[in-house]
Amino acid sequence: MTDALRPGQTIGILGGGQLGRMLAVAASRLGLHCHVYDPAEGGPAAEVAARATCAAWDDEAALRAFAEAVDVVTYEFENVPAESLDLIEAIVPIRPNRRALAVSQDRLDEKDFLRDLGLATAPYATVDDAASLDAALERIGTPAILKTRRFGYDGKGQARIMAASDAAAALAEMNGAPAILEGFVEFSHEVSVIGARGTGGAVACFDPGENRHEGGILRETTVPARLSAAQRTDAVLLAAKILTELDYVGVLGVELFVTASGLVVNEIAPRVHNSGHWTQDGCLIDQFEQHIRAVAGWPLGDGARHSDVVMENLIGDDVDRIPEIAGTQAAIHLYGKAEARAGRKMGHVNRLTGPAR
Amino acid sequence: MTDALRPGQTIGILGGGQLGRMLAVAASRLGLHCHVYDPAEGGPAAEVAARATCAAWDDEAALRAFAEAVDVVTYEFENVPAESLDLIEAIVPIRPNRRALAVSQDRLDEKDFLRDLGLATAPYATVDDAASLDAALERIGTPAILKTRRFGYDGKGQARIMAASDAAAALAEMNGAPAILEGFVEFSHEVSVIGARGTGGAVACFDPGENRHEGGILRETTVPARLSAAQRTDAVLLAAKILTELDYVGVLGVELFVTASGLVVNEIAPRVHNSGHWTQDGCLIDQFEQHIRAVAGWPLGDGARHSDVVMENLIGDDVDRIPEIAGTQAAIHLYGKAEARAGRKMGHVNRLTGPAR
């Protein structure tokens, strides 16, 4: 643990949502303090963090004071502006590193990176205007999906193209933003691997979970996922390949389509991931503590699972079911959000389904 | 869940030490806020609580403002002055109730209560002066142990009497405080049961753990404890008897001596208990969440254990072993205390030893 943070030192977290909240709790268990930076007041993380700064991403004085008050900086979402990171990085290390963030901030760069690593992805093409969209559709065919290159999450900034006649409307939805056309992948189900890499280069992965989405939002993750032993090994090896190529430090989520011809990478997220929330109740060291251990320079947990788990997201007024859920043997994780808007992630529930198979 | 707290409401916690810290984290998972009240500045709980008041136990204005800002009050240690509780209770409910607190605040009342319930205790006698100590020694014999009736913990306020000639010195150690003489109990080992009772009267117990003390301080708890099936049942039944008799709401710790003639109650603690820390990594719903559920009027977890666990306390400079412990597969729980004084509980470590047997 050379250069590792000692108990009493402080981790800065960019973003104060539920992921920041669960990272802060994990850090507290290790005796590490957290300082959350978020432009929004009263987000989920501030309540359980030692300190919180509420300031804009372009508030240079606030960013500087934040960077000077912490010993390492990490982030809970990937859309922090590059200029903010430049300012912080001149003062204190950022983990995971900037390249990991850059690659995952841009869907085109991400696809290029994965292809260059020899990993399978959906067919894709860059789209800047009607002409390049026509050319892309010509090559990829329909159905296809047009996505903004940047700032997309939970199905936002996306438009389906079922036939060439949908092209103009889909392009209009991009609002002039650079975009990428992706072909549809025929898959039986989606799984994800939550991997981690430490400062010394050690890699540890949690067992893959099987994801079910509704309306573009993760609904449920079941562990173990339906995978053959060979697929399971493939999933872990490709996550390790990505982590190592990026010289990554921290937890990374990799979403994979399971197809007849093998695993196809859907996307990567350079942070703790919703599909890894099951680890809170299925593993001794969960994804949040794993991330904190990595960015703090501590040894990683081995990813071992003691129990099989089904994780269910509570979205919007799902949270009204809490009285009923509280009467079942389920671990409840609420994010402390006051208002239950439609599509808003309010919490999640983990149910154990038996000892690890 | 009639009259139950809803997510967004606030639990007041009297005491801001490590137990308050872990209660606050558990409450946050249920979307409940915590407001900690402690005379000491910067204790372990404040960091992870939504709000903290640092004021003396006799600061009536601060107590009143605290009571008015919360929806229910609980406590993490049993030595809160009665006058402070009177003031709070006029404004907001206190759970567990005052009788539970009164009984466990006084070793003599506690012993009387247990005896009246038909439970076995060490032989005991009240001691107020040299004459009553002589009479008590006459009846109980040596070795025996003289303890202050109030304000004792972790072996403090206790003096052993190996022979009648030790009596005067032992009495002097009590500094004139009312005391109780307890006879020694021949026991093979100590176990404890962490039980809980909800507002509706439902009782749930965690499996008994086996405790090993050093120098009067808990060193290690191993689950499962060495107990026959009959002893295990006895332990749970007697905990339930205590909970029900006290009309208790919350988590209660019961320390038991295992003797050739059955279980003997050593003491009860009207709060989450150090010997229940193993539940954080051995159960889906741990003792801290169980206590929060109870005082919030939520249904209880069933106490089921998914894994066997050994919990080790980190006392004083044990915490210097963290870099080494971090390299093993162990769950680390540090309390965020800056200074590692001798005898001070700095954290604990849970190690899983396999699926629950």
Side-chain angles (χ1 to χ4, degrees):
Chain A
M1 288 176 60
T2 327
D3 295 330
L5 264 63
R6 296 175 305 281
Q9 289 194 281
T10 302
I11 296 177
I13 303 178
L14 298 170
Q18 62 263 22
L19 301 180
R21 178 181 175 96
M22 294 183 277
L23 286 169
V25 165
S28 77
R29 286 199 301 266
L30 303 181
L32 297 165
H33 305 305
C34 282
H35 184 156
V36 170
Y37 190 107
D38 197 295
E41 185 88 55
E47 178 170 12
V48 290
R51 223 175 129 187
T53 295
C54 177
W57 290 125
D58 61 359
D59 184 335
E60 295 189 8
L63 286 169
R64 193 168 291 113
F66 167 78
E68 283 166 355
V70 303
D71 298 292
V72 65
V73 166
T74 189
Y75 41 89
E76 59 130 42
F77 83 125
E78 51 269 54
N79 292 326
V80 179
E83 298 72 19
S84 316
L85 297 167
D86 290 341
L87 192 154
I88 291 167
E89 201 169 26
I91 300 171
V92 66
I94 298 178
R95 292 173 181 158
N97 64 42
R98 297 292 296 280
R99 185 169 169 229
L101 196 60
V103 159
S104 63
Q105 275 182 334
D106 187 305
R107 294 183 194 278
L108 181 66
D109 293 347
E110 181 178 304
K111 287 278 195 295
D112 287 346
F113 166 77
L114 295 167
R115 185 197 55 198
D116 293 349
L117 262 189
L119 304 177
T121 69
Y124 65 97
T126 181
V127 169
D128 296 308
D129 49 28
S132 53
L133 177 54
D134 283 349
L137 281 168
E138 183 75 20
R139 182 159 71 77
I140 290 169
T142 54
I145 188 156
L146 190 63
K147 300 178 175 178
T148 54
R149 282 175 55 175
R150 296 173 64 90
F151 303 119
Y153 65 97
D154 284 350
K156 284 167 192 159
Q158 305 194 2
R160 287 183 184 221
I161 300 181
M162 302 310 287
S165 55
D166 300 337
L171 192 60
E173 277 195 49
M174 301 297 111
N175 280 319
I180 175 174
L181 186 75
E182 295 181 15
F184 267 49
V185 173
E186 280 281 343
F187 64 94
S188 56
H189 52 293
E190 188 203 284
V191 301
S192 54
V193 186
I194 310 298
R197 186 166 174 276
T199 48
V203 166
C205 292
F206 295 102
D207 289 318
E210 181 170 335
N211 302 327
R212 189 169 62 75
H213 291 80
E214 274 174 25
I217 302 180
L218 182 65
R219 187 78 231 176
E220 201 172 86
T221 299
T222 302
V223 179
R226 286 172 300 160
L227 289 174
S228 67
Q231 286 170 327
R232 208 174 297 268
T233 305
D234 277 357
V236 168
L237 288 178
L238 73 80
K241 205 166 178 175
I242 294 168
L243 287 163
T244 304
E245 176 63 25
L246 291 172
D247 193 20
Y248 197 91
V249 172
V251 161
L252 173 97
V254 186
E255 293 182 7
L256 299 164
F257 296 130
V258 182
T259 79
S261 56
L263 301 175
V264 172
V265 182
N266 178 29
E267 63 178 30
I268 60 179
R271 52 168 168 77
V272 287
H273 194 258
N274 192 167
S275 69
H277 290 0
W278 68 269
T279 60
Q280 291 177 303
D281 295 292
C283 301
L284 186 66
I285 293 171
D286 68 17
Q287 68 163 348
F288 300 100
E289 180 170 332
Q290 188 79 310
H291 185 76
I292 294 293
R293 282 173 170 256
V295 303
W298 288 36
L300 300 182
D302 64 6
R305 175 177 107 253
H306 56 69
S307 298
D308 291 346
V309 186
V310 177
M311 186 286 303
E312 181 199 359
N313 268 340
L314 301 177
I315 298 164
D317 54 20
D318 283 348
V319 78
D320 297 341
R321 286 169 41 222
I322 281 297
E324 169 223 323
I325 293 168
T328 67
Q329 297 307 310
I332 293 171
H333 299 264
L334 296 183
Y335 308 150
K337 296 178 184 175
E339 200 193 340
R341 289 198 294 271
R344 193 178 205 200
K345 290 177 178 171
M346 301 299 293
H348 64 275
V349 173
N350 285 329
R351 291 185 178 85
L352 303 190
T353 55
R357 278 177 282 146
Chain B
M1 287 177 59
T2 327
D3 295 330
L5 264 62
R6 296 174 305 281
Q9 289 193 281
T10 302
I11 296 176
I13 302 176
L14 298 171
Q18 61 264 22
L19 301 179
R21 178 181 175 97
M22 295 183 278
L23 286 169
V25 166
S28 77
R29 287 200 301 266
L30 303 182
L32 297 165
H33 306 302
C34 283
H35 185 156
V36 170
Y37 190 106
D38 198 294
E41 185 88 57
E47 176 169 13
V48 291
R51 223 174 130 189
T53 296
C54 178
W57 291 126
D58 60 0
D59 183 335
E60 295 189 9
L63 286 169
R64 193 167 292 114
F66 167 78
E68 283 166 356
V70 303
D71 299 291
V72 66
V73 165
T74 189
Y75 42 89
E76 59 130 43
F77 83 126
E78 51 270 54
N79 291 326
V80 179
E83 298 73 20
S84 316
L85 297 167
D86 289 342
L87 193 153
I88 291 169
E89 201 170 25
I91 301 171
V92 67
I94 298 178
R95 293 176 181 156
N97 63 43
R98 298 292 296 281
R99 184 169 170 229
L101 197 59
V103 159
S104 63
Q105 275 181 334
D106 186 305
R107 293 182 196 279
L108 182 66
D109 292 347
E110 181 179 304
K111 286 277 193 297
D112 286 346
F113 166 77
L114 294 167
R115 185 198 55 199
D116 292 349
L117 262 188
L119 303 178
T121 69
Y124 65 97
T126 182
V127 170
D128 296 307
D129 49 28
S132 52
L133 178 54
D134 283 350
L137 281 169
E138 183 76 19
R139 182 159 69 77
I140 290 169
T142 56
I145 186 156
L146 190 64
K147 299 177 176 179
T148 55
R149 282 175 54 175
R150 298 173 63 91
F151 304 119
Y153 65 96
D154 284 350
K156 285 168 192 159
Q158 305 195 1
R160 288 184 183 219
I161 299 181
M162 302 309 287
S165 55
D166 299 337
L171 190 62
E173 277 195 50
M174 301 298 110
N175 280 318
I180 175 175
L181 186 75
E182 296 182 14
F184 267 48
V185 174
E186 280 282 340
F187 63 95
S188 56
H189 51 295
E190 188 203 284
V191 302
S192 54
V193 187
I194 309 299
R197 187 165 173 277
T199 48
V203 166
C205 291
F206 295 102
D207 289 317
E210 180 169 335
N211 302 326
R212 189 168 62 75
H213 292 80
E214 273 175 26
I217 303 180
L218 182 65
R219 186 79 232 177
E220 201 173 86
T221 299
T222 302
V223 179
R226 286 172 298 160
L227 289 174
S228 67
Q231 286 170 327
R232 207 175 297 268
T233 305
D234 276 357
V236 168
L237 288 179
L238 73 81
K241 205 167 180 176
I242 294 169
L243 287 162
T244 303
E245 176 63 25
L246 291 172
D247 193 20
Y248 197 92
V249 172
V251 161
L252 173 98
V254 185
E255 294 181 7
L256 299 164
F257 296 131
V258 182
T259 78
S261 57
L263 301 175
V264 172
V265 182
N266 178 28
E267 63 178 30
I268 61 179
R271 52 166 168 77
V272 287
H273 195 258
N274 193 165
S275 68
H277 291 0
W278 67 270
T279 60
Q280 292 177 304
D281 296 291
C283 301
L284 186 66
I285 293 171
D286 68 18
Q287 69 162 345
F288 300 99
E289 180 170 332
Q290 189 79 312
H291 185 75
I292 295 293
R293 282 173 169 256
V295 303
W298 288 35
L300 301 181
D302 64 5
R305 175 177 108 252
H306 56 69
S307 299
D308 290 346
V309 185
V310 177
M311 188 286 302
E312 182 199 0
N313 267 340
L314 301 177
I315 298 163
D317 54 19
D318 282 347
V319 78
D320 297 342
R321 286 169 40 221
I322 281 297
E324 168 224 324
I325 293 168
T328 67
Q329 297 307 310
I332 293 171
H333 299 265
L334 296 182
Y335 307 149
K337 297 179 184 176
E339 199 193 342
R341 289 198 293 272
R344 195 177 202 198
K345 291 177 178 171
M346 302 298 293
H348 64 274
V349 173
N350 285 329
R351 292 185 177 84
L352 303 190
T353 54
R357 280 178 281 145

